[in-house]
């Protein structure tokens, strides 16, 4: 009977992958038994999904086989879906088995938060996985094909994006690049296509630099995006959305990017949550569970001013690195290191050759910002897969 | 006031295009005023549509701009949709105007004949135009994307093709080639995909050589096609089809290739028809209308044994050539030439590198037949567009 501690990592997103990569580097031989569980045999680059969703890039370029990332001599990979987490038993129930753990890392990713808007779950599409973005891309193309057979249905050519946060803005940037191609391919008059970006908050990209937000909106408006800012979606129906004071926008495509909440499995496991997220301790652990670390969309981390950080890839990656460090320290009975988030800047793409961003304390826009976005994406590929992955996927960014 | 006769040609299908091409060659300067009317500004190669429908070829390769085919100094082209034919007034009503004629050529193409099967018109797709095949291709891809988000819906992966005539057989040949690609692209287990080809007649390809039919079915069965021959579709629903004695096949995609009838405009114009087709005289004219020629799917031509020829591209082309000759003869008060169909053979493709056919009085199958099919397609490109068109489109065949 081995007495080495068992570490189970749930989810191969940014947090889970970074934890795994760091563990396989820092752990000594036979110091722990690490298992990574993921629904798919691939990791996807969530920050890149707006491109395959719009059809401006192949979904293959937004995913990496997990076997290319982790060293199977050091980490066991299990392709399965988590059904239940049982902290009291230190067990995870998978759809086809059970895993016991001494330490658990939960990086299962979030779910769309629709704020109770009626019909949004049933009728809207979401940008959140390879499968979901392939559906969006196919759905969009299908509407163009349908329109040619039913030319009175201009709602087939109307695209509503709910939410003007990072995902919403980046997606409409790509979609407005894609529309002229689709119009050409399907012989459709581009003047008939409408893209609405609807945001309930009083500004697009809430919390971002107002000058850059203004620039972004101008760029996107020129590309054909109609913004409805400070406008709440009241309902999503099979025919479109109802906004503001009852105005109906007929649209065969509604994509919801307006919010993310934690994973239902976390609540069901009995952890205390806010919108499905656990307010973790300074070491990213669930309160009262010294052996359970929670990363990414399922964790709530507060800044020194007491406001929660938005759940980005960047924070999930840093949390993964910190988590791996603390797992090793726990095993070695060394003191843990508190998690301190260090923002390295933020860049939002606005389609081909256009972006806005803040990095190194400075504002960037246009081509330079777009180049910065590429550099960030390449850096990520390098971090998770080294030079070989940069060479394999980097050319597509 | 010009007194030169006005010839109006409705439809730029095989019949209309061949009539136009021959007229622009045979007519002397100012001998007649020829107008070609078509709904689109392109001609499509109907016999090639099964490929873009399945997604094994780009729809662009199945169409040719009419401006590349006809000489606009000799023939006026009007892009419009015909709304009504008024033989008594010698006028054609377009959606945006009216044309008068002295001679009329009707080559408007047929419509799907569903033999009154309930729900077929509403729920099935048809292989009959660029727009309709783009819809089929997008529809198929969309089902794969939908399946990945709703894995219990195996009906998304079931494809029913109604009719095992030429179009049905050629389409399932392509579809079975396409399925492995789609499975790879969408991470779908190929074992879950079902293709049914359902035919009410006691054999596939009724009237074709039984030995070749047997070969075709074996090839297609090996590629994963399930045949239900001698089985009538009783109803087509939004969920699939009901066949035989009430068996339901759940399928999100039903494609009807089971029959073609004439265009409704012909009946509405007062011509006597059988299933929308006019039993033309020996010169391809509507009985009682010496100035109205009817070609292709809208005409009924009988063989010496008194049975109607199937409405193929080949017969429409020959009819177009004969029609142009007789138009010129009519104008010059010369005797008309009766139409005599000369079958040059028939080849049906079964997907990549496989076909069956009869030509020069011999049977062909496999690679040789597939090569013959290519030769026929190239010959057609040469007839309508000469060497330039062969070079532009031929490489895709």
């Amino acid at each position: 009977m081995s007495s080495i501690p068992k570490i189970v990592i749930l989810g191969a997103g940014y947090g889970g992958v970074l934890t795994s990569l760091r563990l396989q580097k820092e752990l000594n031989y036979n110091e722990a038994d690490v298992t990574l569980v993921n629904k798919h045999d691939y990791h996807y680059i969530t920050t890149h999904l707006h491109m395959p969703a719009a059809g401006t890039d192949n979904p293959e370029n937004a995913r990496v086989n997990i076997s290319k990332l982790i060293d199977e001599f050091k980490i066991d990979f299990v392709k399965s879906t988590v059904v239940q987490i049982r902290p009291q038993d230190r067990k995870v129930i998978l759809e086809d088995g059970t895993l016991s753990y001494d330490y658990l890392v939960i990086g299962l990713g979030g779910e769309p938060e629709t704020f109770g808007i009626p019909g949004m779950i049933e009728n809207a599409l979401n940008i959140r996985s390879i499968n979901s973005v392939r559906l969006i891309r196919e759905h969009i193309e299908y509407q163009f094909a349908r329109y040619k057979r039913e030319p009175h249905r201009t709602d087939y050519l109307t695209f509503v994006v709910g939410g003007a946060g990072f995902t919403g803005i980046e997606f409409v940037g790509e979609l407005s690049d894609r529309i002229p191609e689709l119009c050409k391919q399907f012989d459709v008059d581009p003047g008939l296509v409408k893209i609405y970006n609807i945001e309930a908050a009083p500004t697009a990209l809430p919390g971002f630099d107002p000058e850059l937000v203004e620039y972004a909106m101008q760029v996107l408006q020129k590309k054909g995006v109609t913004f409805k800012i400070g406008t709440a979606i009241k309902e999503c129906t099979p025919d479109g959305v109802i906004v503001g004071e009852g105005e109906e926008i007929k649209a065969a495509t509604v994509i919801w990017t307006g919010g993310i909440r934690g994973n239902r499995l976390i609540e069901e496991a009995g952890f205390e949550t806010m919108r499905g997220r656990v307010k973790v301790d300074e070491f990213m652990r669930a309160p009262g569970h010294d052996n359970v670390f929670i990363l990414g969309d399922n964790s709530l981390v507060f800044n020194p001013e007491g406001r929660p950080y938005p759940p980005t890839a960047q924070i999930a990656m840093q949390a993964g690195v910190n988590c791996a460090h603390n797992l090793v320290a726990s095993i070695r009975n060394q003191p843990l290191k508190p998690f301190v988030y260090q923002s390295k800047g933020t860049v939002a793409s606005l389609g081909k050759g256009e972006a806005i961003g803040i990095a190194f304390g400075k504002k960037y826009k246009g081509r330079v910002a777009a180049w910065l976005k590429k550099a960030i994406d390449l850096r990520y590929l390098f971090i998770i897969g080294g030079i070989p992955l940069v060479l394999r996927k980097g050319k597509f960014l």
Side-chain angles (χ1 to χ4, degrees), chain A:
Chain A
M1 299 294 133
S2 151
S3 66
I4 63 168
K6 284 183 181 163
I7 301 172
V8 170
I9 303 166
L10 303 182
Y14 291 95
V17 161
L18 265 288
T19 305
S20 303
L21 290 174
R22 280 307 181 107
L23 280 182
Q24 78 183 19
K25 198 171 162 190
E26 293 183 18
L27 282 173
N28 294 323
Y29 178 70
N30 255 354
E31 200 176 10
D33 176 1
V34 184
T35 304
L36 173 65
V37 180
N38 197 53
K39 199 168 17 172
H40 312 290
D41 56 8
Y42 54 83
H43 161 71
Y44 50 79
I45 302 164
T46 310
T47 59
H48 195 69
L49 289 178
H50 56 285
M51 293 185 70
T56 51
D57 194 12
N58 189 324
E60 290 308 309
N61 299 329
R63 68 174 173 181
V64 186
N65 279 342
I66 288 168
S67 63
K68 301 262 181 196
L69 297 181
I70 67 160
D71 179 346
E72 56 184 316
F73 289 102
K74 295 184 176 169
I75 294 182
D76 292 327
F77 173 64
V78 175
K79 178 175 176 285
S80 188
T81 298
V82 180
V83 174
Q84 196 189 17
I85 301 166
R86 290 196 190 155
Q88 63 285 10
D89 304 329
R90 302 197 163 196
K91 278 189 198 308
V92 173
I93 314 300
L94 307 178
E95 61 179 355
D96 46 9
T98 300
L99 289 174
S100 299
Y101 64 80
D102 298 303
Y103 297 95
L104 182 67
V105 180
I106 305 179
L108 286 168
E111 294 176 358
E113 171 60 84
T114 59
F115 305 108
I117 300 170
M120 194 58 89
I121 289 170
E122 298 81 356
N123 299 308
L125 300 164
N126 299 286
I127 300 173
R128 55 185 290 255
S129 66
I130 294 292
N131 287 336
S132 76
V133 303
R134 284 196 291 219
L135 183 62
I136 291 173
R137 185 197 59 187
E138 293 301 335
H139 182 90
I140 292 170
E141 288 187 22
Y142 189 51
Q143 304 319 309
F144 277 80
R146 289 170 84 196
Y147 168 74
K148 290 302 286 187
R149 300 284 289 155
E150 298 167 73
H152 61 289
R153 293 292 302 268
T154 48
D155 60 313
Y156 290 160
L157 302 179
T158 302
F159 301 90
V160 168
V161 178
F166 269 79
T167 310
I169 288 289
E170 293 197 310
F171 178 68
V172 295
E174 293 303 314
L175 184 59
S176 54
D177 280 353
R178 176 80 170 131
I179 292 301
E181 289 172 26
L182 288 169
C183 285
K184 194 155 175 248
Q185 190 182 334
F186 289 93
D187 309 314
V188 167
D189 173 2
L192 295 171
V193 180
K194 305 259 177 295
I195 304 175
Y196 291 98
N197 193 354
I198 305 176
E199 170 62 56
T203 170
L205 297 170
F208 209 63
D209 179 87
E211 186 200 325
L212 293 178
V213 173
E214 182 60 31
Y215 176 82
M217 287 181 69
Q218 278 173 15
V219 167
L220 294 172
Q221 278 163 346
K222 259 186 220 155
K223 286 182 169 193
V225 177
T226 303
F227 284 100
K228 287 184 173 276
I229 303 296
T231 305
I233 296 179
K234 294 283 162 59
E235 190 180 347
C236 180
T237 72
D239 301 325
V241 291
I242 316 287
V243 297
E245 303 309 313
E247 182 199 347
E248 183 179 15
I249 300 175
K250 283 192 185 289
T253 308
V254 178
I255 292 159
W256 176 247
T257 71
I260 291 284
R261 51 161 284 132
N263 199 296
R264 261 150 238 286
L265 291 171
I266 316 268
E267 289 161 305
E268 288 167 16
F271 297 106
E272 200 181 308
T273 62
M274 291 169 65
R275 290 204 187 284
R277 287 185 189 152
V278 178
K279 193 180 160 184
V280 290
D281 70 14
E282 59 178 335
F283 308 115
M284 300 293 294
R285 299 179 306 191
H289 298 267
D290 284 358
N291 64 333
V292 179
F293 295 81
I294 302 187
L295 314 177
D297 291 351
N298 292 303
S299 64
L300 209 49
V301 184
F302 289 83
N303 69 14
E305 290 82 47
R307 301 192 52 178
Y309 287 115
T312 61
Q314 195 180 165
I315 196 167
M317 288 165 68
Q318 292 183 22
V321 171
N322 185 264
C323 174
H325 176 93
N326 285 338
L327 282 166
V328 175
S330 299
I331 289 167
R332 295 178 187 162
N333 286 312
Q334 292 168 352
L336 304 194
K337 195 167 79 180
F339 174 62
V340 181
Y341 172 58
Q342 290 189 297
S343 171
K344 295 194 161 40
T346 314
V347 185
S349 133
L350 308 171
K352 201 166 169 52
E354 273 288 358
I356 51 169
I358 292 188
F360 319 113
K362 283 179 68 179
K363 298 180 191 179
Y364 296 90
K365 54 193 177 193
R367 264 189 195 281
V368 180
W371 177 86
L372 205 61
K373 174 88 183 171
K374 267 191 199 182
I376 292 168
D377 288 350
L378 287 172
R379 178 175 170 273
Y380 178 66
L381 292 178
F382 179 74
I383 289 171
I384 64 168
I387 295 287
L389 189 61
V390 171
L391 294 178
R392 215 165 70 243
K393 303 268 175 180
K395 62 176 181 289
F396 300 110
L397 296 177

